[in-house]
Amino acid sequence: MEILKIFVFDFLGSAPILVGLMALLGLILQKKRPEKIISGTLKTIVGFLIFGGGAGMAVASLASFQTLFSEGFGLKGVLPLAEAITALAQTKFASVVSLVMVVGFICNLLVARFTKFKYIFLTGQHNLYLAALLTVVLKALNFGNTTVVIMGGIILGFAAALYPALAQPWMRKVTGNDEIAMGHYVTIAYALSGWLGSKVGNPDESTEKLKLPGWLSIFKDYIVSVSISIIIFFYIAAFMAGKVKVEQLSGGVSWLVFPLFQSLTFTAALYIIITGVRMFLGEIVPAFVGISEKLIPNAKPALDCPVVFPYAPTATVVGFISAYIGGLLCMFILAALHMTVIIPVAIPYFFIGATAGVFGNATGGWKGAIAGGFVTGILIAIGPALLYPVMEVIGLSGTTFPETDFVALGLVIYYLGKMFGR
């Protein structure tokens, strides 16, 4: 079990190591010189770690915002966080979750090798979350451990290859090529955002090309636009929470200064994310040629959602704000309907909403970014509310999965099982 845990959590569950190993394999298969193999592998891992460091900074800043927002507006309800529900699942079914992930990764490679779906899912932590979801749902249907591992692994392997394919037509619009895929299990929402953008807007009116009059032209710089937007959000939350709550959270820093620094920290984090993404993409894409040529013809790496941020940085903040507004609207509607109230957690809403904004922008410009983000915000509020009763069946409460792909897969499996008498 100790060896299994090391393999799953330190290799398959660690995205930088997993991506680095793929780069290493690709460079070796291309028979590159030793210095190039070492350089390419290290730059891939370091680039991913830079991106991960930026993501960590963004998460910390958004967590502060979430605390102030929840305190200020008195929000109580379910917090949809894949990390939290996975941690709960691992306390109950640690070995099963690990085995589902291992079998799933092997199955993903086999599906990519022998079918037309040539996507290798390299966002290790998201495969871990999916393994946890499948374990919980299949356990809720009273399947035994062996059945859960086999069924869950096979389903995960196919999902890892099929879901990126769903978003790929729109991913090509975003990147302008077919070299990388989306390795983030919200592809239903991202594909919908891309489709919706094409119906409501014009890609020529991109958020990155907006012609703003006079002093408003400073918003064309995404550093400025992100900073000002997030500063407004933070100060609203801070004023609602009040001086005492803010300074408790800030560790004594003035309640008027703390929101400013947190906002600017978030902007810096976004810049670091984009820098890291550019660095590791510059290495992983050429390295993947070796895998594609030798082992899995035409293979494409499916990578985490921030890989699209550099293509439309302004659209990321537009998508986030639109998604968050959609989530807040759903929160009040769910409360009025006496359903499970899903609190829009800033962390997933940023990463998911920002990505949806980029997809919508690629096909519909700024209108597509707004529409895609807003609809995605609604989906990741309603979906968790529908899935939450399944989590409660197995004794997990207080949190659930926000990702659309998890929700769709979980609900289909669970209710099909119930239909057949499980």
Side-chain angles (χ1 to χ4, degrees), residues 62-84:
L62 291 170
S64 298
F65 168 77
Q66 185 66 44
T67 300
L68 294 177
F69 196 86
S70 297
E71 290 283 352
F73 289 90
L75 300 178
K76 303 292 181 184
V78 173
L79 298 172
L81 277 170
E83 295 87 346

Side-chain angles (χ1 to χ4, degrees), residues 19-246:
V19 171
L21 288 173
M22 288 295 172
L24 174 65
L25 178 61
L27 292 168
I28 290 173
L29 289 172
Q30 292 180 73
K31 298 180 180 179
K32 296 290 185 181
R33 293 167 61 88
E35 62 270 25
K36 176 58 181 173
I37 293 173
I38 294 171
S39 170
T41 302
L42 290 178
K43 283 185 177 179
T44 300
I45 296 174
V46 170
F48 209 99
L49 288 172
I50 291 172
F51 146 61
M57 285 175 61
V59 166
S61 179
L62 291 170
S64 298
F65 168 77
Q66 185 66 44
T67 300
L68 294 177
F69 196 86
S70 297
E71 290 283 352
F73 289 90
L75 300 178
K76 303 292 181 184
V78 173
L79 298 172
L81 277 170
E83 295 87 346
I85 189 67
T86 299
L88 290 177
Q90 284 177 264
T91 62
K92 295 175 71 77
F93 315 110
S95 60
V96 178
V97 171
S98 300
L99 287 168
V100 168
M101 185 174 173
V102 172
V103 174
F105 185 71
I106 295 169
C107 185
N108 178 198
L109 296 177
L110 292 173
V111 171
R113 176 64 180 84
F114 295 108
T115 75
K116 65 178 182 179
F117 301 103
K118 303 297 183 181
Y119 305 97
I120 301 176
F121 203 98
L122 296 182
T123 310
Q125 73 273 19
H126 245 234
N127 268 341
L128 179 61
Y129 304 156
L130 180 53
L133 167 83
L134 293 168
T135 299
V136 169
V137 171
L138 293 171
K139 279 292 184 181
L141 293 170
N142 297 313
F143 284 107
N145 288 349
T146 303
T147 304
V148 171
V149 169
I150 295 172
M151 286 181 61
I154 292 173
I155 293 170
L156 192 155
F158 275 93
L162 295 177
Y163 273 128
L166 178 65
Q168 195 60 15
W170 314 113
M171 190 69 172
R172 284 193 288 269
K173 297 283 187 181
V174 171
T175 64
N177 57 56
D178 204 27
E179 292 179 342
I180 61 172
M182 176 52 60
H184 195 249
Y185 287 119
V186 196
T187 50
I188 292 173
Y190 300 152
L192 180 60
S193 296
W195 176 83
L196 193 60
S198 68
K199 302 301 179 184
V200 302
N202 184 342
D204 293 333
E205 298 176 353
S206 169
T207 54
E208 317 309 304
K209 298 179 182 177
L210 287 178
K211 295 180 180 179
L212 300 173
W215 69 271
L216 289 175
S217 62
I218 65 170
F219 284 93
K220 291 175 68 176
D221 186 326
Y222 82 91
I223 295 292
V224 176
S225 62
V226 171
S227 297
I228 293 175
S229 302
I230 300 302
I231 283 171
I232 292 171
F233 265 62
F234 251 104
Y235 272 105
I236 290 173
F239 282 124
M240 290 302 298
K243 178 180 178 180
V244 174
K245 291 291 185 183
V246 175

